[in-house]
Amino acid sequence: PPPTADLTTEDLETWLDGTVPAALETTGIPGAAISVVHDGEVLAARGYGHADTGADGGDPLPVDPERTLFRVGSVSKLFTATAVMQLVESGDIDLDADVHEYLDFTVPTSFDEDLTTRHLLTHTAGFEERIADLLAPEGTEVDLRAHLAEDPPEQVYRPGTVPAYSNYGAALAGYVVERVAGVPFEEYVRENILEPLGMDSSDFAQPLPDALHDRLAAGYASATGPAGPFEIVTGPPAGSLTSSATDMTRFMLAHLGETGDGPALLTPGTLDLMHAPGLDADSLGTLAEGPRMTLGFFEEDRNGRRVLGHGGDTTLFHSHLQLHPESGTGVFVALNGGGRGELDSLRLREAILNGFTDRYFPGSPDSTGAEPGTTGDAAPIEGVYESSRSMHSTFMSVLGALGGQTRITAREDGTILVTPGPETGEPTVYEEIEPRVWREVGGQRLLTVRMDGDRVEAIGYASAFALLPVSPARYASLALPILVLSTVILLIAALAPPVGALIRRRFALPAPTRTARLPRALRTTGAVAVLAALGGWALVLGHIMELEPVSQLLLRALVAAQWLGVLALIPAALVLAGDIRHRAGPGRYVTGTIVLLGFVGMTYFAAVFGLLSPDVTY
């Protein structure tokens, strides 16, 4: 279908002015900057809302698209990938050589295959997620090598086979640039990307240079609270860039091959290589039928048109960049707050970017025209899944049970219900449009299913992510009821002795005849330890998900308390055995059995979800 409007400065600004201010008001996001390039020119650069709301006592300050600076989060990775590709172009980096050829330390690996720079740029290096020290307090001095070499994440997937978004992998790619170029990463990018493009309002430096510091927008974690501090990204190549909406137009134009009289960042051939999918079916299998990573960009195709992009989030800032290579168009959006709802910043960026594409580049998603349910059997896909971007080897694997799982159900009409949809956050129905390729009903998101016989290996989505099947022992529908029931049992077991003593004292009742006094005391101690551990884990997880540091000593204490609960199985069994031996009666038999099962249930949960692991990194 034809565009609903002509892509002109007048129409674009009218559309943005009619869309963005109302959305900011609705979501409570303080401010936004948006820039658009087309046919080698800057079509529009607009600022909306406030760079500073005045909530901290100063005067409110409006967003200026040229002057106001934003932290762009993971959009920084596009600059890191560009730096890598410059060194590929010069012959200094081989995309398919073992990355250790360029490093001065060893990254622990779990597979025989080489770990390559191609794997790093396509998020298929196989690393589990790592949250610790992702962001650090203002004033922290960054040491990129130490961040990468000290306690790296475990490699849990075979390289090249499972898309699993990794900040560690992107930071490692930046360190490769640093090692090969012989200068600090920030200096290389400044001299070889920012300065040649005239991006004089942009820098990876932390803290910002004095000339830029006062221009940075205040970032807001909530719609009503004060501004947050300057966030230190401990792996700068993965997310420390600060820039303006107008500076980002220069980067977009360079990637569209439009440099005017200025220097080209990359030759046309290298641009084509960087913008092409980085891996094929030889390593990805059926996952290659859906959106893939290029050498740095996400494939974000819409309306049957090719779109390349990358989003970025810190705690306070949210951004996204998209290129439409076939039409020579680029769009950049930056926000300095998350709004009232958890997904407000994401939904606003989607509304702007998808609305832009639908208005100026409409079309229809590619389709075979297959009727839902006519190309295959949905039943083998049924099951429970967790994201490939998750923790496996540490206590953080418990997040899978605490809301991190996706259930897929086959429906009678041949479609599947995905709860929640991995990109929508809500139940979403998909229909099969090609063998093992499923599209959102009424939408354009894709799932691609890789099978091993009749078993699902992985379900790919959104280029750098996959859903992986979960063993029944990890099903939240099993684990959480056991956890709750075991907690109630052990809570009663822990409270029974002191409550019983108070009641006997109040009413002058005789003490009951007890057998195995020491095992009973140890059983009670174990119950108290487990309950204390659960409370501690809840507190710790809350801090970690807010990207706040947690004491290693506290984590080790929680693991120790959890182990006391495991060891309490012994006195719990001895108490039951003693009651049986002394014929204490059915009531005591039942009580002893229930308490023992409470410890068994808690031990199962702790063992399956890593709460007993001596590795307390996260």
Side-chain angles (χ1 to χ4, degrees):
T4 58
D6 293 330
L7 182 51
T8 63
T9 296
E10 181 181 6
D11 187 85
L12 176 61
E13 291 184 345
T14 300
W15 177 71
L16 289 173
D17 291 350
T19 301
V20 181
L24 294 180
E25 182 69 25
T26 299
T27 59
I29 294 172
I34 301 165
S35 56
V36 178
V37 298
H38 180 63
D39 280 347
E41 298 180 351
V42 178
L43 207 61
R46 307 290 277 176
Y48 300 96
H50 292 98
D52 189 325
T53 64
D56 296 289
D59 294 328
L61 184 68
V63 172
D64 181 325
E66 184 167 356
R67 179 169 176 77
T68 303
L69 306 184
F70 292 78
R71 307 298 300 283
V72 302
S74 288
V75 174
S76 307
K77 292 179 173 68
L78 296 178
F79 290 75
T80 300
T82 301
V84 170
M85 295 307 293
Q86 287 180 332
L87 296 171
V88 169
E89 183 174 289
S90 65
D92 294 301
I93 292 178
D94 180 344
L95 284 170
D96 298 307
D98 191 316
V99 73
H100 289 99
E101 293 185 14
Y102 310 113
L103 300 177
D104 59 347
F105 64 90
T106 300
V107 179
T109 56
S110 306
F111 301 90
D112 293 335
E113 288 84 353
D114 287 343
L115 173 63
T116 70
T117 308
R118 183 185 298 274
H119 295 144
L120 300 180
L121 296 186
T122 56
H123 292 288
T124 58
F127 298 123
E128 67 177 335
E129 177 67 305
R130 180 59 59 86
I131 296 178
D133 300 325
L134 189 62
L135 296 176
E138 186 171 4
T140 302
E141 187 172 338
V142 173
D143 183 335
L144 178 57
R145 185 188 185 281
H147 172 73
L148 296 168
E150 297 173 5
D151 194 27
E154 189 170 321
Q155 187 185 48
V156 293
Y157 313 121
R158 191 174 300 279
T161 62
V162 177
Y165 188 85
S166 173
N167 284 302
Y168 179 86
L172 188 61
Y175 189 64
V176 169
V177 170
E178 183 170 302
R179 289 284 300 164
V180 170
V183 297
F185 170 79
E186 294 88 342
E187 183 178 331
Y188 178 90
V189 173
R190 190 181 302 123
E191 293 178 354
N192 293 276
I193 298 177
L194 302 180
E195 290 178 356
L197 293 181
M199 296 180 68
D200 53 12
S201 295
S202 304
D203 211 311
F204 271 81
Q206 303 177 108
L208 284 170
D210 291 341
L212 301 180
H213 183 270
D214 292 339
R215 295 170 53 189
L216 178 64
Y220 298 87
S222 69
T224 57
F230 186 88
E231 299 169 287
I232 299 293
V233 179
T234 52
S240 75
L241 179 66
T242 301
S243 189
S244 69
T246 50
D247 259 20
M248 292 301 289
T249 64
R250 297 173 172 87
F251 184 73
M252 291 190 289
L253 287 170
H255 266 280
L256 292 167
E258 301 282 359
T259 56
D261 297 330
L265 284 184
L266 299 167
T267 65
T270 306
L271 278 178
D272 289 343
L273 174 63
M274 184 175 177
H275 295 169
L279 293 171
D280 57 23
D282 288 345
S283 59
L284 293 176
T286 320
L287 303 190
E289 299 296 317
R292 284 177 280 174
M293 286 299 301
T294 75
L295 296 172
F297 286 88
F298 285 65
E299 289 187 326
E300 299 178 345
D301 299 2
R302 185 169 180 83
N303 301 337
R305 299 170 184 268
R306 184 158 175 74
V307 180
L308 302 177
H310 208 299
D313 296 274
T314 69
T315 304
L316 306 174
F317 291 89
H318 311 275
S319 60
H320 206 110
L321 180 152
Q322 278 192 345
L323 301 178
H324 299 253
E326 295 164 359
S327 62
T329 304
V331 185
F332 173 73
V333 180
L335 310 172
N336 64 329
R340 298 185 183 91
E342 185 177 352
L343 298 177
D344 279 353
S345 68
L346 174 62
R347 296 290 182 250
L348 178 52
R349 283 174 285 171
E350 288 180 341
I352 295 170
L353 294 167
N354 293 345
F356 175 89
T357 303
D358 294 345
R359 183 176 181 85
Y360 300 110
F361 304 112
S364 301
D366 294 329
S367 173
T368 61
E371 292 297 321
T374 62
T375 58
D377 182 9
I381 308 173
E382 282 196 309
V384 177
Y385 298 82
E386 291 179 5
S387 172
S388 58
R389 188 188 183 185
S390 59
M391 284 67 76
H392 293 260
S393 65
T394 73
F395 66 91
M396 290 297 287
S397 73
V398 75
L399 292 179
L402 303 178
Q405 295 184 351
T406 297
R407 180 174 291 275
I408 296 181
T409 307
R411 308 200 322 165
E412 290 184 0
D413 63 356
T415 61
I416 55 174
L417 176 65
V418 184
T419 309
E423 296 178 83
T424 65
E426 57 191 27
T428 307
V429 178
Y430 287 78
E431 61 186 359
E432 192 172 29
I433 58 170
E434 298 176 26
R436 305 306 182 202
V437 179
W438 298 74
R439 187 175 64 212
E440 177 188 6
V441 173
Q444 302 192 31
R445 296 178 177 89
L446 295 179
L447 300 177
T448 51
V449 183
R450 186 172 73 207
M451 306 285 291
D452 179 10
D454 60 356
R455 182 181 65 86
V456 174
E457 277 192 344
I459 299 177
Y461 69 95
S463 301
F465 303 89
L467 294 174
L468 305 178
V470 173
S471 67
R474 286 183 61 88
Y475 284 8
S477 57
L478 171 68
L480 292 184
I482 290 177
L483 174 64
V484 171
L485 185 59
S486 299
T487 300
V488 171
I489 291 170
L490 297 184
L491 180 61
I492 295 173
L495 293 176
V499 170
L502 287 174
I503 292 174
R504 289 192 298 274
R505 182 177 301 176
R506 174 69 178 80
F507 296 101
L509 298 176
T513 302
R514 292 288 189 185
T515 59
R517 289 184 179 276
L518 179 60
R520 288 182 190 280
L522 292 176
R523 184 181 70 173
T524 301
T525 301
V528 171
V530 168
L531 294 171
L534 288 180
W537 289 125
L539 183 67
V540 159
L541 291 174
H543 280 285
I544 290 174
M545 297 316 294
E546 292 295 326
L547 300 182
E548 298 173 0
V550 174
S551 163
Q552 295 281 302
L553 184 61
L554 172 60
L555 293 174
R556 295 188 187 283
L558 293 178
V559 171
Q562 202 75 56
W563 270 106
L564 285 178
V566 175
L567 295 175
L569 282 166
I570 298 172
L574 291 175
V575 168
L576 177 60
D579 285 342
I580 294 173
R581 187 169 62 253
H582 291 90
R583 299 177 180 175
R588 295 267 282 272
Y589 303 160
V590 171
T591 300
T593 301
I594 290 175
V595 174
L596 178 60
L597 290 175
F599 281 109
V600 169
M602 197 61 74
T603 299
Y604 143 78
F605 187 89
V608 169
F609 293 100
L611 303 184
L612 302 174
S613 172
D615 183 357
V616 294
T617 57
Y618 58 92

